[in-house]
Amino acid sequence: MDSHETLDWHDGQPRSRRFGDVYFSRDGGPDETAHVFLHGNRLPERLARLPGAGRFVIAETGFGTGLNFLCAWRLFESVAPVGAQLDFVSTELYPLSAGDLKRALALWPALFPWSDRLLSRYGALAPGWHRFDFAPQRVRLTLLVGDARQTLPRLRAGVDAWFLDGFAPARNPQLWEVPLLQTVARLSAPGATLSTYSCAGAVRRTLDAAGFAVRKEAGFGSKREMLVGARRGDAGVHRAASCGRAVVVGGGLAGCAAAAGLARRGWEVDLLERDSHLASRASGNAQGMLYARLSGQDAALSQLAGSGYQHSLRTLRRLLPCDHVAWSDAPLLQLAFDDAEGRRQAALARLNWPAALLHPVDRDQAQALAGVPLPGGGVVFPRGGWVHPPALCEALAATPGVRVRTGVHVHAITRELDRWRLDIAGPGADPADVVVLANAGEALALQQAAHLPLRLNRGQVTMLPAPPGAALRAVVCGERYVAPPRLGMLITGATFERSADSAARDADNAENLEVLRALVPVLHEALRTAGVPSAVVAGRAGLRCVSPDYLPLAGAVYGADGSPRPGLFASLAHGSRGLITAPICGELLADLIDGTPALLPDALVRALDPGRFAPPRSVATGS
């Protein structure tokens, strides 16, 4: 079932079939937004007064067509100083499809410079939280797809201005309930303001009880009045972004993603890699699969996989050409290879993902997508595909503000005068405000992280020349995977073993080829006929760092006794899911370090917190 909204169109104007209400005024949508929300929150003068590194957070209770976001973005670009940052958080239970959004925004040609950029990133949206980064302007949109009564209470943010939007209280009362408006108050920063077109008495009384001084002002168009308000008892403050100097230890996917996230927020970042080049270890395979193993249950690992998958796709589309060398958006099939897997896949319908992102396929449909005979059906991620991890690492590390230093081994780190000093081989490193450990199992060699419960699992892939006559067109996953050829080479694997041995083994290559026989029999036969199995090109083994609960560690690092380590963070234990989890955890770390709204729900942030393995008092409480 698709969770997108269904529209009716009357005189060129979109109308929600579900709520029977219009998305914007017939008198002029952008003008209404400017009157009610931009001027109602005094944004022209407040944004203009931001300091050069100032930060401003806007949140709204109904994304709709995105009109309010686009108008706020345009205003921010026109009046805010260079270097300031805008975070826009919006929640929407029934998002528009990409086609309907494009049709709606076509009504406003003056907004095309901004709406075109939004539409280029939008796509199908599954329930969950989504981050759209418009980096050159340091503008971020965090879109919470779900019921606002569930999403907003799980948000970590300090909001400066609220757009209380959505359909009229009589048509959509859920957005105006007392608990939700109390959440609005709880998430508000000192000096926060709000505005809404609604003057309903219940809304006024609830906001007043929640601590807002509210008053009526002249409305827009045919609406006689609107409501504006501000938190009582405090004055607004200009919050400067906490930009400083950061060092990220580790040049794989985790480290490159963390470095890029901080640099996009204005941090000066040194990215240190022990080897001679980035992506030299577990992130160095020729192909990595965007394999999001989801569950019908709302478990933390499945929730992270779903959000991480969509975040990784947006990151790839923003950074790399889809040229079948850097990455490919070929379909990714997950075959129902046994009864347990079939039951797991059947439960995925509960996730309510759009068919454009995930849907079941029978055997015939799977074979048509793959271009080869297969043993059965399963589910398909139509744009799942594969990526060349070193290309993604290089693209992330090329973010302005990141300085890459290879051949640097960090022996120790020490805290002196509120900054971190690094003991490294070669030229000394400048002190840093923040250190991020993204060096997998090597983090255990540092005294501050030696207590973390990390272990290493070995995985080997097998690379061989693509045989003639077996043109695989999709990634096929079962107990293992095989991908369409890249530069004439086929990759299959991977083995799994609890071991710290990274040497390639012929026995592991033979094991991968034997599993391929059951996964894609015709491909195995083509390899046998071509004589390839006796002349395997190469095997490559990597060591995957994992935690006891198989969730990554992403957040502040605490001591073994639960004491804080100010300015020390980690992005570790991504295991075999690094392409899915490392990019989103890098963005989350940047949110936590820089104090911007978190792109994941608070419960999931807590589940990823490294402090979960320390005494209970160490786990962050959030805002």
Side-chain angles (χ1 to χ4, degrees):
M1 177 181 176
D2 198 321
S3 59
H4 289 107
E5 176 63 285
T6 302
L7 297 185
D8 291 321
W9 292 82
H10 297 285
D11 299 327
Q13 185 182 39
R15 184 181 184 91
S16 168
R17 183 177 301 174
R18 194 182 310 267
F19 294 104
D21 204 353
V22 296
Y23 278 90
F24 39 71
S25 169
R26 293 180 182 274
D27 297 322
D31 292 338
E32 179 185 40
T33 290
H35 180 87
V36 176
F37 297 114
L38 304 186
H39 292 283
N41 281 284
R42 308 190 312 278
L43 293 190
E45 55 265 37
R46 292 171 74 189
L47 294 176
R49 292 200 305 267
L50 286 172
R55 180 193 305 122
F56 201 87
V57 178
I58 299 172
E60 72 171 348
T61 53
F63 187 71
T65 64
L67 181 61
N68 293 341
F69 166 63
L70 296 173
C71 291
W73 181 5
R74 177 174 64 174
L75 175 65
F76 179 82
E77 283 192 354
S78 66
V79 304
V82 175
Q85 303 176 34
L86 174 66
D87 271 281
F88 195 101
V89 181
S90 186
T91 185
E92 178 61 59
L93 179 55
Y94 301 110
L96 299 187
S97 68
D100 281 336
L101 185 69
K102 182 177 182 179
R103 183 177 177 183
L105 294 178
L107 297 172
W108 316 115
L111 290 174
F112 283 177
W114 296 271
S115 60
D116 285 351
R117 281 181 277 177
L118 173 62
L119 290 167
S120 70
R121 308 276 178 84
Y122 188 76
L125 296 175
W129 296 28
H130 305 265
R131 169 66 53 80
F132 301 87
D133 190 344
F134 304 97
Q137 293 76 31
R138 293 185 183 158
V139 171
R140 286 176 294 275
L141 166 64
T142 305
L143 182 54
L144 318 182
V145 177
D147 190 324
R149 295 172 295 178
Q150 298 174 8
T151 57
L152 285 180
R154 301 159 72 191
L155 177 66
R156 288 192 182 195
V159 178
D160 298 300
W162 285 94
F163 297 175
L164 300 185
D165 201 359
F167 299 116
R171 298 181 183 272
N172 186 19
Q174 293 86 354
L175 281 182
W176 307 94
E177 291 178 351
V178 171
L180 184 61
L181 295 181
Q182 290 173 337
T183 297
V184 166
R186 179 180 61 81
L187 292 172
S188 295
T193 62
L194 61 85
S195 61
T196 175
Y197 58 83
S198 175
C199 283
V203 173
R204 296 198 311 272
R205 289 189 293 273
T206 301
L207 290 172
D208 181 79
F212 285 94
V214 296
R215 67 181 186 278
K216 295 179 181 179
E217 288 192 352
F220 178 81
S222 60
K223 296 179 180 178
R224 188 178 65 181
E225 295 175 320
M226 56 179 267
L227 202 64
V228 300
R231 257 183 55 161
R232 291 194 192 93
D234 51 33
V237 293
H238 293 311
R239 291 177 292 158
S242 56
C243 302
R245 185 172 181 279
V247 171
V248 178
V249 183
L253 279 169
C256 292
L262 286 169
R264 288 198 307 273
R265 289 159 174 77
W267 284 71
E268 176 188 346
V269 184
D270 275 353
L271 177 59
L272 309 183
E273 166 54 44
R274 180 174 184 171
D275 294 326
S276 60
H277 58 278
L278 299 176
S280 58
R281 303 201 178 187
S283 299
N285 286 344
Q287 286 173 294
M289 312 307 129
L290 288 169
Y291 181 57
R293 187 171 174 81
L294 305 175
S295 166
Q297 306 299 320
D298 191 26
L301 192 56
S302 179
Q303 190 178 0
L304 179 64
S307 295
Y309 169 74
Q310 295 171 87
H311 183 83
S312 291
L313 282 182
R314 281 190 287 272
T315 300
L316 289 169
R317 291 168 184 153
R318 178 168 58 88
L319 293 179
L320 292 178
C322 185
D323 57 5
H324 305 285
V325 176
W327 80 285
S328 169
D329 62 355
L332 186 145
L333 291 161
Q334 294 182 7
L335 301 185
F337 55 85
D338 61 22
D339 290 344
E341 178 65 12
R343 289 191 296 272
R344 186 190 68 82
Q345 293 185 5
L348 297 182
R350 300 178 196 147
L351 298 177
N352 203 25
W353 275 36
L357 289 175
L358 171 68
H359 64 266
V361 290
D362 60 24
R363 181 180 179 180
D364 290 343
Q365 293 168 325
Q367 291 178 155
L369 289 168
V372 297
L374 294 172
V379 295
V380 62
F381 292 80
R383 305 294 295 274
W386 57 264
V387 62
H388 181 54
L392 179 55
C393 287
E394 292 286 350
L396 289 165
T399 303
V402 176
R403 180 176 65 164
V404 177
R405 298 179 62 187
T406 57
V408 176
H409 181 201
V410 178
H411 296 290
I413 58 175
T414 55
R415 184 78 172 171
E416 298 179 11
L417 300 176
D418 295 329
R419 303 194 83 189
W420 288 99
R421 295 186 180 275
L422 287 80
D423 177 11
I424 65 175
D430 295 332
D433 302 292
V434 162
V435 170
V436 176
L437 302 181
N439 52 344
E442 290 187 0
L444 297 176
L446 298 173
Q447 180 270 327
Q448 291 85 355
H451 63 284
L452 296 176
L454 306 176
R455 70 171 187 266
L456 297 176
N457 289 335
R458 165 195 164 84
Q460 181 170 317
V461 298
T462 299
M463 297 164 287
L464 18 75
L472 184 64
R473 297 196 298 263
V475 177
V476 181
C477 301
E479 292 184 281
R480 297 189 188 173
Y481 63 80
V482 62
R486 175 183 179 270
L487 300 178
M489 299 297 295
L490 200 68
I491 187 168
T492 185
T495 62
F496 179 88
E497 178 186 357
R498 186 165 181 175
S499 169
D501 178 13
S502 61
R505 303 171 184 165
D506 291 342
D508 284 7
N509 288 331
E511 181 182 330
N512 282 332
L513 290 171
E514 187 60 30
V515 175
L516 181 63
R517 182 199 300 270
L519 184 63
V520 188
V522 68
L523 189 56
H524 183 275
E525 178 61 22
L527 290 166
R528 189 194 65 78
T529 301
V532 172
S534 62
V536 168
V537 173
R540 187 179 190 277
L543 300 181
R544 300 157 174 171
C545 179
V546 298
S547 71
D549 58 11
Y550 292 97
L551 280 169
L553 276 64
V557 175
Y558 294 80
D561 61 353
S563 60
R565 298 282 187 265
L568 183 61
F569 293 82
S571 181
L572 300 167
H574 295 279
S576 60
R577 301 178 177 89
L579 277 169
I580 299 295
T581 62
I584 198 168
C585 284
E587 184 75 1
L588 174 64
L589 274 186
D591 289 338
L592 298 176
I593 292 169
D594 203 47
T596 48
L599 85 162
L600 290 174
D602 186 68
L604 187 50
V605 175
R606 291 169 182 265
L608 298 173
D609 192 325
R612 69 187 186 271
F613 297 115
R617 72 176 186 276
S618 70
V619 179
T621 59
S623 59

